[in-house]
Amino acid sequence: MHILNIDNLLINHAGREIFRDLSWAISDRERTGLVGPNGAGKSSLLKAIAGVYQPDGGTINPLRGVRVGYLPQEVELRSQPSPPHTLSLRVRENQSQIEGTSESPIESELESGNTLWDIASAPPPELAAVEHELVLIEAALSDPAVYGDEGKLTRTLARQEKAVAEYERLGGPRHEARVKELLMRLGFAAGDYDLPTESLSGGEKKLAVLVRLALEQPEVLLLDEPDNHLDLEAKRHLEGFIRAYEGAVVIVSHDRYLLDEVVTQIAELENGALTLFPGNYSRYATEVELRRLRQQQMYTAQQKRIQQIEANIKEWQEKAKADLNERFARQARSRQKMLDRMEERGEIIERVQERKRMDLQMNGWRGSNRALELAGLTMGFGDDLLFLDLNLQVWHGERVGLIGPNGAGKSVLFKLILDEMQPLEGQIKIGPSSRIGYYSQEHQTLAEWLHRSPLELVRDVKPMHEGDAVAFLLKFLFKYDQLRLPISGFSGGERSRLQLACLMLQNPNLLLLDEPTNNLDIYAVEVLESALEDFEGAILTISHDRYFLDRVVDRVVELEDGGLTGYPGGYTEYLNHKDKKKTKAKN
């Protein structure tokens, strides 16, 4: 059953049309993965449905009583207290316009000085209003002017009875238990409840907000990249939450593994058009490729037929001129009319337009047989020991995935390899013929260039003529007018592509990649994966992208509880090994 209809939606931003005439029907209990290249308008579409953006045209029509909850892409801390806001957006009954239930339609900030429990357990607005009403009634009942007046007392008790009934209807008595249940389902333990807001990671902040959002149980839940900044275990908890949610879910995510696990359909938003595909991401990717191949075959066959007809027309026209034969002229006109009608009726099959992708080529070269060795490595800060006696060898041609929970020390290990930190004990040996190329998760490699331009950066990495630098950067999907702008104004995805461009110019044969798929859209990640498949050299990559790990690495090493454990294969094989270990431990 369709519970929310979008008809002929139009949205413009700064004079640029994001999409027009976009229509979509969201069904109850459906799990939809909204995918498309960066800039296609995925977040804009979610915000329009949530009422954050007022569309320039079209309508959004939910069924009566259907509420919409929205989790924004980023949740930040604010130090100054401000009026409370609701984290979910609600559809007002008898109206097609979606409006927020508070003055601010979107909560993208959390108050500092609170705890995880404070954030997660804040009651929904309706419940908070009833709780406030009960407090006022309790105060009134202790007032002599009320309990000494039979009429006032009767009215106050009736008011209390009504408020208690409403409190129970809204789940007030079960509120605390539901908060604990939701926190547990999303991977939090009771010992985490008192964690201050400031100590929560970006991913944990979003999960805490998600708990508060889920307490209102909106019929449509919109999630904009909810898996950002989450480690592998947290992603598995999130997947379980989405699968069990009793309502429709629309999720924007670049995590193809997550999309495979939870969605029932893919909505592809590209070039202003929305196309629906039943099934998960892998099924969508296969169907898109099959459609592309079918269209190309049909285009080739039709073009061959059109060329034959055009050749016949030309031949008959020449015969008509030479012999002055009207029969040949009629045949030529008849065939020309047939071609014209095909064009008028839209029967001409278009050539397959290949999606524009960045031209990333990581060639590498033959270097030391042992590209990298860690021997007895120990590291900590003060009294906190991160890891103890780590040993690891990475050989030429190997692709090793480094995984582990947030805070285990993965990025610190990279800093040690790069000689940016010194270990407490142990040795790090880089192969004598190894040249390191480093991709930084937070784009630190671009830090000193933020006020310079991409043109200046690439010409510094590898001297070249300006024209060659321009041509090179255009292959990484930068616009010409961006090339002389300061990098500080670039988006996360643009900075990621710029880092990859610099890696390509450096021509390394040992890659240290720290979350290389963050900020890239799915299509850019697929290009990266293909480039790494062709790379001649060794790769050590930190990643929480399970699809990427399955495609790229042939060995997983897990950094957990201060030690390293190796597993052959990609993420799926690693997961199978872990599950077998758990089964043996139970038995």
Side-chain angles (χ1 to χ4, degrees):
M1 179 180 71
H2 295 161
I3 59 174
L4 190 146
N5 291 289
I6 300 167
D7 297 311
N8 301 314
L9 204 65
L10 168 64
I11 287 186
N12 290 295
H13 279 321
R16 182 173 77 91
E17 187 173 280
I18 306 299
F19 42 72
R20 81 161 42 240
D21 298 332
L22 186 146
S23 297
W24 185 19
I26 297 175
S27 298
D28 188 28
R29 296 302 300 270
E30 202 162 52
R31 277 91 174 95
T32 302
L34 181 59
V35 305
N38 286 341
K42 302 184 294 295
S43 293
S44 297
L45 179 55
L46 291 194
K47 289 176 180 177
I49 298 171
V52 178
Y53 282 169
Q54 178 67 35
D56 298 285
T59 58
I60 300 170
N61 301 302
L63 289 185
R64 179 185 295 273
V66 168
R67 297 163 301 167
V68 178
Y70 172 63
L71 181 70
Q73 195 173 116
E74 296 295 336
V75 175
E76 302 294 340
L77 285 180
R78 63 164 173 261
S79 55
Q80 298 299 322
S82 61
H85 300 295
T86 177
L87 281 164
S88 75
L89 302 176
R90 182 165 303 172
V91 178
R92 287 188 180 176
E93 293 188 4
N94 304 318
Q95 290 187 17
S96 62
Q97 176 62 42
I98 298 178
E99 299 182 19
T101 58
S102 70
E103 292 180 4
S104 173
I106 172 176
E107 176 68 279
S108 59
E109 295 180 330
L110 295 174
E111 304 89 345
S112 61
N114 288 323
T115 64
L116 170 64
W117 179 258
D118 295 332
I119 297 168
S121 65
E126 282 185 271
L127 182 57
V130 174
E131 287 180 345
H132 182 62
E133 171 76 356
L134 286 170
V135 170
L136 294 178
I137 292 170
E138 196 69 32
L141 288 173
S142 63
D143 185 351
V146 174
Y147 67 72
D149 184 317
E150 186 177 349
K152 287 183 179 179
L153 179 61
T154 300
R155 288 192 295 274
T156 304
L157 288 173
R159 180 179 156 203
Q160 184 185 48
E161 183 179 358
K162 183 179 178 181
V164 168
E166 182 67 3
Y167 180 73
E168 291 177 351
R169 185 188 73 81
L170 294 171
R174 303 184 304 278
H175 177 73
E176 185 172 316
R178 288 188 62 220
V179 174
K180 290 179 179 178
E181 179 190 350
L182 286 166
L183 285 169
M184 182 185 69
R185 280 169 52 191
L186 286 169
F188 292 105
D192 299 326
Y193 292 174
D194 293 329
L195 288 175
T197 314
E198 292 83 355
S199 72
L200 298 178
S201 69
E204 288 170 335
K205 291 188 188 82
K206 291 191 77 169
L207 293 182
V209 168
L210 183 56
V211 169
R212 204 151 95 184
L213 187 59
L215 288 170
E216 292 195 60
Q217 298 178 290
E219 287 74 16
V220 179
L221 187 59
L222 309 176
L223 307 177
D224 196 350
E225 299 193 23
D227 51 300
N228 268 10
H229 314 299
L230 297 183
D231 60 26
L232 297 176
E233 189 63 24
K235 287 188 178 188
R236 294 182 73 181
H237 285 292
L238 175 64
E239 288 163 2
F241 169 86
I242 294 171
R243 280 195 295 265
Y245 188 76
E246 295 183 356
V249 179
V250 179
I251 178 171
V252 172
S253 176
H254 296 158
D255 189 324
R256 295 158 293 172
Y257 198 100
L258 182 146
L259 295 175
D260 268 356
E261 289 291 308
V262 304
V263 308
T264 56
Q265 76 167 356
I266 294 290
E268 180 192 67
L269 183 59
E270 187 170 17
N271 298 324
L274 191 77
T275 309
L276 299 179
F277 297 82
N280 62 12
Y281 179 82
S282 292
R283 183 175 171 186
Y284 150 77
T286 301
E287 179 61 25
V288 166
E289 182 61 18
L290 288 174
R291 289 188 186 188
R292 190 190 70 80
L293 291 172
R294 281 197 295 267
Q295 183 178 345
Q296 186 59 40
Q297 290 170 349
M298 292 167 62
Y299 169 80
T300 301
Q302 188 185 64
Q303 286 298 307
K304 185 176 180 181
R305 175 64 178 151
I306 288 172
Q307 288 169 8
Q308 289 174 341
I309 294 172
E310 288 175 339
N312 289 338
I313 291 171
K314 185 177 181 181
E315 180 184 351
W316 288 328
Q317 286 174 339
E318 289 175 351
K319 285 183 177 181
K321 288 179 182 178
D323 301 340
L324 299 177
N325 190 322
E326 181 59 24
R327 182 169 63 87
F328 290 129
R330 283 199 306 271
Q331 287 176 316
R333 288 195 298 271
S334 174
R335 288 294 188 273
Q336 185 60 54
K337 285 180 181 178
M338 184 176 73
L339 289 181
D340 292 342
R341 281 196 300 271
M342 286 175 63
E343 190 167 347
E344 289 169 4
R345 292 195 293 256
E347 295 173 354
I348 301 296
I349 299 169
E350 294 184 3
R351 180 195 296 271
V352 173
Q353 298 296 320
E354 295 292 341
R355 182 179 283 121
K356 196 171 183 183
R357 298 174 183 261
M358 64 175 176
D359 185 14
L360 175 65
Q361 298 174 39
M362 304 296 294
N363 297 318
W365 40 283
R366 179 74 196 188
S368 302
N369 192 41
R370 185 179 296 168
L372 171 67
E373 181 180 6
L374 310 181
L377 208 62
T378 297
M379 185 61 183
F381 300 97
D383 295 330
D384 296 324
L385 199 62
L386 265 182
F387 42 77
L388 175 68
D389 195 28
L390 296 190
N391 296 284
L392 176 68
Q393 292 183 342
V394 179
W395 302 88
H396 175 79
E398 264 200 311
R399 282 92 168 96
V400 180
L402 177 60
I403 66 172
N406 288 336
K410 302 183 297 295
S411 294
V412 171
L413 184 57
F414 268 28
K415 291 185 187 325
L416 293 171
I417 296 171
L418 293 165
D419 204 27
E420 294 177 7
M421 291 181 176
Q422 297 303 312
L424 299 178
E425 292 180 12
Q427 288 185 308
I428 299 170
K429 300 176 183 177
I430 308 295
S433 298
S434 294
R435 181 190 299 167
I436 293 178
Y438 172 52
Y439 180 98
S440 165
Q441 178 184 171
E442 302 295 336
H443 308 120
Q444 290 96 328
T445 56
L446 303 178
E448 62 185 82
W449 288 89
L450 291 180
H451 300 295
R452 310 283 291 280
S453 71
L455 269 180
E456 292 173 295
L457 171 60
V458 298
R459 295 182 74 187
D460 183 77
V461 173
K462 182 179 179 180
M464 63 181 85
H465 291 297
E466 183 174 302
D468 294 333
V470 168
F472 175 75
L473 285 166
L474 293 178
K475 290 180 180 179
F476 281 79
L477 307 186
F478 293 104
K479 297 181 177 65
Y480 184 80
D481 57 6
Q482 288 182 293
L483 303 185
R484 292 176 175 81
L485 297 177
I487 296 168
S488 59
F490 281 30
S491 69
E494 289 164 342
R495 294 188 193 192
S496 293
R497 295 202 307 272
L498 192 54
Q499 266 202 106
L500 291 173
C502 292
L503 270 186
M504 179 173 160
L505 292 176
Q506 290 164 5
N507 193 30
N509 64 351
L510 171 57
L511 291 176
L512 301 181
L513 308 177
D514 191 352
E515 297 284 5
T517 62
N518 280 6
N519 302 304
L520 295 177
D521 61 35
I522 289 175
Y523 314 111
V525 172
E526 289 172 345
V527 171
L528 173 61
E529 289 167 347
S530 297
L532 295 180
E533 284 176 358
D534 297 333
F535 175 70
E536 184 182 357
I539 301 172
L540 178 60
T541 178
I542 299 169
S543 182
H544 292 144
D545 187 330
R546 296 158 294 178
Y547 210 99
F548 172 82
L549 290 170
D550 267 343
R551 276 204 63 184
V552 171
V553 310
D554 43 44
R555 178 158 61 105
V556 170
V557 290
E558 183 178 31
L559 181 56
E560 188 176 30
D561 298 328
L564 270 182
T565 308
Y567 301 87
Y571 176 78
T572 301
E573 288 83 0
Y574 152 80
L575 207 55
N576 290 336
H577 284 295
K578 293 282 283 188
D579 289 341
K580 286 177 183 176
K581 278 188 177 181
K582 287 179 182 178
T583 303
K584 284 182 180 179
K586 286 180 182 178
N587 297 334

